[in-house]
Amino acid sequence: MNSDSLRRATNPTPNTQNSVHYRAHGVLFSPAVPVGVDVQVESLDSISEVDMDFTMTLYLRHYWKDERLAFPSSTNKSMTFDGRLVKKIWVPDVFFVHSKRSFIHDTTTENIMLRVFPDGHVLYSLRVTVTAACNMDFSRFPLDSQTCTLELESYAYTDEDLMLYWKSGDESLSTDDRISLSQFLIQKFHTSSRLAFYSSTGWYNRLYINFTLRRHIFFFLLQTYFPATLMVMLSWVSFWIDRRAVPARVSLGITTVLTMSTIITGVNASMPRVSYIKAVDIYLWVSFVFVFLSVLEYAAVNYLTTLRDGKDRKLRDKAREQAQGLPCTCGMTHARTMMLDGSYSEADANSLAGYTREPEAPDAPPEKSQERMVVHLALDTESSTGGATKKKGLRGFRIIQNTHAIDTYSRMIFPGAYIFFNLIYWSVYC
């Protein structure tokens, strides 16, 4: 390449192949310079949910023709230069739209290559790492897929001055087969292009590199879903613990609640503070509600147990006062008191379920000691023919009063409801 060619190439913009000029409204201008672009993605370094961006390293190549750089060659071979010549000739001013950081690699020298062909065609290649914004939707996190875009555009030249296009369509984008991410599966890369409008400067050609990422769920199953499920199942253990073991059931309930709070806090710490509900939030908070309800269930059981013990204590006190006298109704309107003295079998005693057994009086002589059972029989004021409705009411009352029954029903209701929730959750999000 001679010095005259180099001097001509330092002009602001190159002429087209036939150096044709057009006149419009008295202004002389040349047609838009076509600049082809292709990209080879070397690596997809990271995806950040907190910052909503991605980092990519790529080879960016530009193709155009500048007749001022043409030179005679008997062998028709191209000439290759390093980055020092780039500062002395015109090159496209392509930049990355919505980029946060970017740099050209400079180890061991600047990774810039300029190749000029005898007919004036130019190849301009550089190795760049860019961090660009990616608008992510976390409504289905962590069962989500994200589509990110890297956008290229000329900074100064509108579409009337520079026509930016993909050199070979979708084949202009190539990727390394070894590209992989720990949390994502790269599904596809594809290209697109359109015009971008700025109100103050006009229309610009914009090129898009689109790629879709699907998140791996196995990591979150191990770190989030399985621990949350185990905590819910652990809270059900209290239904099998004796209702009078207050320290055991209370400590188990508090432990599961605090563990669920820790899991929720850990998940949200690695996520941006979005104002909508994520899929993982639904699962964790529903699990938290199940754990919290198990604590409330024991509070209800303990409260009813206290009430019943108080009533039983009053009945025992009254029975003890009446143990030396004849049976009486003691002011009860619809009740009759019976005292069974003498010998009876254990089967007879068990048949009187729900009645109060009066222990032996402490001052009774040993030789005349007999176990006494005081039985309060509730008598309906109406005839016995009113039966079915009355029995249902009594059965419901016994369920409420019998705290063992509350724990028994909880053993079935809690697991059944949680399994039903899981079926709906995974069918919707998977």
Side-chain angles (χ1 to χ4, degrees), residues 362-385:
D363 55 350
E367 62 275 12
K368 296 181 179 180
S369 173
Q370 290 184 344
E371 186 174 8
R372 298 176 178 180
M373 177 180 293
V374 179
V375 179
H376 299 278
L377 298 177
L379 301 179
D380 201 335
T381 56
E382 298 183 3
S383 63
S384 60
T385 57

PDB file of all heavy atoms in Angstrom, residues 362-385:
ATOM      1  N   PRO A 362     -59.274 -41.271 100.635  1.00  0.00           N
ATOM      2  CA  PRO A 362     -58.021 -41.528 101.353  1.00  0.00           C
ATOM      3  C   PRO A 362     -58.222 -41.994 102.790  1.00  0.00           C
ATOM      4  O   PRO A 362     -57.383 -42.682 103.347  1.00  0.00           O
ATOM      5  CB  PRO A 362     -57.301 -40.186 101.288  1.00  0.00           C
ATOM      6  CG  PRO A 362     -58.378 -39.192 101.054  1.00  0.00           C
ATOM      7  CD  PRO A 362     -59.423 -39.878 100.241  1.00  0.00           C
ATOM      8  N   ASP A 363     -59.377 -41.618 103.418  1.00  0.00           N
ATOM      9  CA  ASP A 363     -59.589 -42.002 104.802  1.00  0.00           C
ATOM     10  C   ASP A 363     -60.381 -43.286 104.960  1.00  0.00           C
ATOM     11  O   ASP A 363     -60.806 -43.644 106.042  1.00  0.00           O
ATOM     12  CB  ASP A 363     -60.290 -40.866 105.555  1.00  0.00           C
ATOM     13  CG  ASP A 363     -61.586 -40.474 104.843  1.00  0.00           C
ATOM     14  OD1 ASP A 363     -61.791 -40.970 103.697  1.00  0.00           O
ATOM     15  OD2 ASP A 363     -62.355 -39.691 105.414  1.00  0.00           O
ATOM     16  N   ALA A 364     -60.672 -43.999 103.872  1.00  0.00           N
ATOM     17  CA  ALA A 364     -61.451 -45.238 103.957  1.00  0.00           C
ATOM     18  C   ALA A 364     -60.603 -46.340 104.537  1.00  0.00           C
ATOM     19  O   ALA A 364     -59.412 -46.443 104.232  1.00  0.00           O
ATOM     20  CB  ALA A 364     -61.945 -45.639 102.582  1.00  0.00           C
ATOM     21  N   PRO A 365     -61.202 -47.200 105.406  1.00  0.00           N
ATOM     22  CA  PRO A 365     -60.435 -48.309 105.997  1.00  0.00           C
ATOM     23  C   PRO A 365     -59.990 -49.272 104.925  1.00  0.00           C
ATOM     24  O   PRO A 365     -60.704 -49.497 103.948  1.00  0.00           O
ATOM     25  CB  PRO A 365     -61.446 -48.970 106.946  1.00  0.00           C
ATOM     26  CG  PRO A 365     -62.499 -47.955 107.168  1.00  0.00           C
ATOM     27  CD  PRO A 365     -62.561 -47.112 105.944  1.00  0.00           C
ATOM     28  N   PRO A 366     -58.782 -49.873 105.046  1.00  0.00           N
ATOM     29  CA  PRO A 366     -58.281 -50.785 104.028  1.00  0.00           C
ATOM     30  C   PRO A 366     -59.164 -51.999 103.851  1.00  0.00           C
ATOM     31  O   PRO A 366     -59.366 -52.466 102.740  1.00  0.00           O
ATOM     32  CB  PRO A 366     -56.892 -51.163 104.549  1.00  0.00           C
ATOM     33  CG  PRO A 366     -56.523 -50.052 105.473  1.00  0.00           C
ATOM     34  CD  PRO A 366     -57.787 -49.598 106.096  1.00  0.00           C
ATOM     35  N   GLU A 367     -59.742 -52.529 104.975  1.00  0.00           N
ATOM     36  CA  GLU A 367     -60.519 -53.750 104.843  1.00  0.00           C
ATOM     37  C   GLU A 367     -61.845 -53.505 104.155  1.00  0.00           C
ATOM     38  O   GLU A 367     -62.475 -54.427 103.644  1.00  0.00           O
ATOM     39  CB  GLU A 367     -60.761 -54.384 106.225  1.00  0.00           C
ATOM     40  CG  GLU A 367     -61.551 -53.521 107.188  1.00  0.00           C
ATOM     41  CD  GLU A 367     -60.688 -52.545 107.948  1.00  0.00           C
ATOM     42  OE1 GLU A 367     -59.502 -52.393 107.535  1.00  0.00           O
ATOM     43  OE2 GLU A 367     -61.130 -51.919 108.913  1.00  0.00           O
ATOM     44  N   LYS A 368     -62.327 -52.250 104.187  1.00  0.00           N
ATOM     45  CA  LYS A 368     -63.595 -51.957 103.543  1.00  0.00           C
ATOM     46  C   LYS A 368     -63.399 -51.155 102.260  1.00  0.00           C
ATOM     47  O   LYS A 368     -64.320 -50.511 101.764  1.00  0.00           O
ATOM     48  CB  LYS A 368     -64.500 -51.177 104.485  1.00  0.00           C
ATOM     49  CG  LYS A 368     -64.882 -51.960 105.729  1.00  0.00           C
ATOM     50  CD  LYS A 368     -65.800 -51.145 106.612  1.00  0.00           C
ATOM     51  CE  LYS A 368     -66.204 -51.936 107.867  1.00  0.00           C
ATOM     52  NZ  LYS A 368     -67.112 -51.146 108.738  1.00  0.00           N
ATOM     53  N   SER A 369     -62.170 -51.191 101.794  1.00  0.00           N
ATOM     54  CA  SER A 369     -61.850 -50.370 100.614  1.00  0.00           C
ATOM     55  C   SER A 369     -62.517 -50.946  99.379  1.00  0.00           C
ATOM     56  O   SER A 369     -62.388 -52.124  99.085  1.00  0.00           O
ATOM     57  CB  SER A 369     -60.343 -50.343 100.423  1.00  0.00           C
ATOM     58  OG  SER A 369     -60.043 -49.708  99.225  1.00  0.00           O
ATOM     59  N   GLN A 370     -63.233 -50.135  98.713  1.00  0.00           N
ATOM     60  CA  GLN A 370     -63.839 -50.508  97.439  1.00  0.00           C
ATOM     61  C   GLN A 370     -63.660 -49.344  96.472  1.00  0.00           C
ATOM     62  O   GLN A 370     -63.754 -48.190  96.859  1.00  0.00           O
ATOM     63  CB  GLN A 370     -65.344 -50.806  97.603  1.00  0.00           C
ATOM     64  CG  GLN A 370     -65.656 -52.085  98.370  1.00  0.00           C
ATOM     65  CD  GLN A 370     -67.158 -52.349  98.402  1.00  0.00           C
ATOM     66  OE1 GLN A 370     -67.935 -51.454  98.123  1.00  0.00           O
ATOM     67  NE2 GLN A 370     -67.538 -53.576  98.764  1.00  0.00           N
ATOM     68  N   GLU A 371     -63.430 -49.696  95.237  1.00  0.00           N
ATOM     69  CA  GLU A 371     -63.285 -48.638  94.219  1.00  0.00           C
ATOM     70  C   GLU A 371     -64.663 -48.170  93.796  1.00  0.00           C
ATOM     71  O   GLU A 371     -65.562 -48.993  93.577  1.00  0.00           O
ATOM     72  CB  GLU A 371     -62.527 -49.160  93.001  1.00  0.00           C
ATOM     73  CG  GLU A 371     -62.229 -48.073  92.014  1.00  0.00           C
ATOM     74  CD  GLU A 371     -61.355 -48.576  90.882  1.00  0.00           C
ATOM     75  OE1 GLU A 371     -61.133 -49.787  90.825  1.00  0.00           O
ATOM     76  OE2 GLU A 371     -60.918 -47.750  90.092  1.00  0.00           O
ATOM     77  N   ARG A 372     -64.798 -46.931  93.752  1.00  0.00           N
ATOM     78  CA  ARG A 372     -66.091 -46.358  93.404  1.00  0.00           C
ATOM     79  C   ARG A 372     -65.982 -45.622  92.073  1.00  0.00           C
ATOM     80  O   ARG A 372     -64.980 -45.005  91.790  1.00  0.00           O
ATOM     81  CB  ARG A 372     -66.570 -45.379  94.478  1.00  0.00           C
ATOM     82  CG  ARG A 372     -66.775 -46.038  95.849  1.00  0.00           C
ATOM     83  CD  ARG A 372     -67.147 -44.997  96.866  1.00  0.00           C
ATOM     84  NE  ARG A 372     -67.402 -45.616  98.163  1.00  0.00           N
ATOM     85  CZ  ARG A 372     -67.751 -44.934  99.241  1.00  0.00           C
ATOM     86  NH1 ARG A 372     -67.877 -43.613  99.178  1.00  0.00           N
ATOM     87  NH2 ARG A 372     -67.967 -45.557 100.387  1.00  0.00           N
ATOM     88  N   MET A 373     -67.040 -45.704  91.349  1.00  0.00           N
ATOM     89  CA  MET A 373     -67.083 -44.993  90.076  1.00  0.00           C
ATOM     90  C   MET A 373     -68.330 -44.130  90.059  1.00  0.00           C
ATOM     91  O   MET A 373     -69.435 -44.639  90.274  1.00  0.00           O
ATOM     92  CB  MET A 373     -67.115 -45.964  88.894  1.00  0.00           C
ATOM     93  CG  MET A 373     -67.222 -45.266  87.550  1.00  0.00           C
ATOM     94  SD  MET A 373     -67.260 -46.445  86.214  1.00  0.00           S
ATOM     95  CE  MET A 373     -65.635 -47.109  86.338  1.00  0.00           C
ATOM     96  N   VAL A 374     -68.106 -42.852  89.860  1.00  0.00           N
ATOM     97  CA  VAL A 374     -69.230 -41.925  89.770  1.00  0.00           C
ATOM     98  C   VAL A 374     -69.495 -41.663  88.298  1.00  0.00           C
ATOM     99  O   VAL A 374     -68.599 -41.256  87.571  1.00  0.00           O
ATOM    100  CB  VAL A 374     -68.928 -40.608  90.504  1.00  0.00           C
ATOM    101  CG1 VAL A 374     -70.087 -39.639  90.377  1.00  0.00           C
ATOM    102  CG2 VAL A 374     -68.659 -40.912  91.966  1.00  0.00           C
ATOM    103  N   VAL A 375     -70.695 -41.920  87.930  1.00  0.00           N
ATOM    104  CA  VAL A 375     -71.049 -41.789  86.527  1.00  0.00           C
ATOM    105  C   VAL A 375     -72.141 -40.742  86.406  1.00  0.00           C
ATOM    106  O   VAL A 375     -73.156 -40.818  87.120  1.00  0.00           O
ATOM    107  CB  VAL A 375     -71.534 -43.140  85.947  1.00  0.00           C
ATOM    108  CG1 VAL A 375     -71.924 -42.968  84.500  1.00  0.00           C
ATOM    109  CG2 VAL A 375     -70.449 -44.182  86.081  1.00  0.00           C
ATOM    110  N   HIS A 376     -71.911 -39.783  85.539  1.00  0.00           N
ATOM    111  CA  HIS A 376     -72.913 -38.769  85.254  1.00  0.00           C
ATOM    112  C   HIS A 376     -73.537 -39.108  83.911  1.00  0.00           C
ATOM    113  O   HIS A 376     -72.858 -39.104  82.890  1.00  0.00           O
ATOM    114  CB  HIS A 376     -72.277 -37.375  85.203  1.00  0.00           C
ATOM    115  CG  HIS A 376     -71.645 -36.978  86.492  1.00  0.00           C
ATOM    116  ND1 HIS A 376     -72.367 -36.464  87.532  1.00  0.00           N
ATOM    117  CD2 HIS A 376     -70.346 -37.041  86.910  1.00  0.00           C
ATOM    118  CE1 HIS A 376     -71.548 -36.216  88.550  1.00  0.00           C
ATOM    119  NE2 HIS A 376     -70.315 -36.563  88.186  1.00  0.00           N
ATOM    120  N   LEU A 377     -74.800 -39.412  83.952  1.00  0.00           N
ATOM    121  CA  LEU A 377     -75.505 -39.770  82.728  1.00  0.00           C
ATOM    122  C   LEU A 377     -76.325 -38.559  82.296  1.00  0.00           C
ATOM    123  O   LEU A 377     -77.180 -38.079  83.046  1.00  0.00           O
ATOM    124  CB  LEU A 377     -76.429 -40.974  82.953  1.00  0.00           C
ATOM    125  CG  LEU A 377     -75.729 -42.265  83.378  1.00  0.00           C
ATOM    126  CD1 LEU A 377     -76.759 -43.343  83.645  1.00  0.00           C
ATOM    127  CD2 LEU A 377     -74.757 -42.702  82.313  1.00  0.00           C
ATOM    128  N   ALA A 378     -76.054 -38.104  81.105  1.00  0.00           N
ATOM    129  CA  ALA A 378     -76.823 -36.986  80.562  1.00  0.00           C
ATOM    130  C   ALA A 378     -78.124 -37.515  80.005  1.00  0.00           C
ATOM    131  O   ALA A 378     -78.115 -38.427  79.179  1.00  0.00           O
ATOM    132  CB  ALA A 378     -76.028 -36.284  79.472  1.00  0.00           C
ATOM    133  N   LEU A 379     -79.202 -36.987  80.510  1.00  0.00           N
ATOM    134  CA  LEU A 379     -80.516 -37.443  80.083  1.00  0.00           C
ATOM    135  C   LEU A 379     -81.161 -36.360  79.245  1.00  0.00           C
ATOM    136  O   LEU A 379     -81.229 -35.202  79.648  1.00  0.00           O
ATOM    137  CB  LEU A 379     -81.402 -37.751  81.300  1.00  0.00           C
ATOM    138  CG  LEU A 379     -80.860 -38.829  82.252  1.00  0.00           C
ATOM    139  CD1 LEU A 379     -81.823 -39.013  83.415  1.00  0.00           C
ATOM    140  CD2 LEU A 379     -80.664 -40.133  81.512  1.00  0.00           C
ATOM    141  N   ASP A 380     -81.619 -36.740  78.093  1.00  0.00           N
ATOM    142  CA  ASP A 380     -82.326 -35.813  77.232  1.00  0.00           C
ATOM    143  C   ASP A 380     -83.723 -35.586  77.778  1.00  0.00           C
ATOM    144  O   ASP A 380     -84.384 -36.536  78.216  1.00  0.00           O
ATOM    145  CB  ASP A 380     -82.390 -36.388  75.818  1.00  0.00           C
ATOM    146  CG  ASP A 380     -82.638 -35.303  74.795  1.00  0.00           C
ATOM    147  OD1 ASP A 380     -83.200 -34.275  75.180  1.00  0.00           O
ATOM    148  OD2 ASP A 380     -82.258 -35.519  73.629  1.00  0.00           O
ATOM    149  N   THR A 381     -84.169 -34.354  77.765  1.00  0.00           N
ATOM    150  CA  THR A 381     -85.501 -34.054  78.263  1.00  0.00           C
ATOM    151  C   THR A 381     -86.580 -34.553  77.322  1.00  0.00           C
ATOM    152  O   THR A 381     -87.735 -34.662  77.711  1.00  0.00           O
ATOM    153  CB  THR A 381     -85.648 -32.541  78.444  1.00  0.00           C
ATOM    154  OG1 THR A 381     -85.373 -31.892  77.226  1.00  0.00           O
ATOM    155  CG2 THR A 381     -84.658 -32.041  79.505  1.00  0.00           C
ATOM    156  N   GLU A 382     -86.211 -34.784  76.080  1.00  0.00           N
ATOM    157  CA  GLU A 382     -87.187 -35.253  75.113  1.00  0.00           C
ATOM    158  C   GLU A 382     -87.101 -36.759  75.012  1.00  0.00           C
ATOM    159  O   GLU A 382     -86.223 -37.404  75.569  1.00  0.00           O
ATOM    160  CB  GLU A 382     -86.944 -34.582  73.762  1.00  0.00           C
ATOM    161  CG  GLU A 382     -87.100 -33.073  73.841  1.00  0.00           C
ATOM    162  CD  GLU A 382     -86.931 -32.435  72.483  1.00  0.00           C
ATOM    163  OE1 GLU A 382     -86.750 -33.180  71.510  1.00  0.00           O
ATOM    164  OE2 GLU A 382     -86.973 -31.203  72.419  1.00  0.00           O
ATOM    165  N   SER A 383     -87.988 -37.347  74.240  1.00  0.00           N
ATOM    166  CA  SER A 383     -88.045 -38.803  74.102  1.00  0.00           C
ATOM    167  C   SER A 383     -86.852 -39.300  73.328  1.00  0.00           C
ATOM    168  O   SER A 383     -86.213 -38.560  72.585  1.00  0.00           O
ATOM    169  CB  SER A 383     -89.342 -39.207  73.378  1.00  0.00           C
ATOM    170  OG  SER A 383     -89.350 -38.683  72.073  1.00  0.00           O
ATOM    171  N   SER A 384     -86.552 -40.583  73.483  1.00  0.00           N
ATOM    172  CA  SER A 384     -85.405 -41.189  72.823  1.00  0.00           C
ATOM    173  C   SER A 384     -85.605 -41.329  71.336  1.00  0.00           C
ATOM    174  O   SER A 384     -84.692 -41.702  70.603  1.00  0.00           O
ATOM    175  CB  SER A 384     -85.135 -42.571  73.429  1.00  0.00           C
ATOM    176  OG  SER A 384     -86.262 -43.406  73.264  1.00  0.00           O
ATOM    177  N   THR A 385     -86.808 -41.051  70.841  1.00  0.00           N
ATOM    178  CA  THR A 385     -87.056 -41.164  69.393  1.00  0.00           C
ATOM    179  C   THR A 385     -86.428 -40.038  68.626  1.00  0.00           C
ATOM    180  O   THR A 385     -86.382 -40.058  67.403  1.00  0.00           O
ATOM    181  CB  THR A 385     -88.567 -41.161  69.121  1.00  0.00           C
ATOM    182  OG1 THR A 385     -89.126 -39.964  69.663  1.00  0.00           O
ATOM    183  CG2 THR A 385     -89.219 -42.372  69.772  1.00  0.00           C
TER     184      THR A 385
END
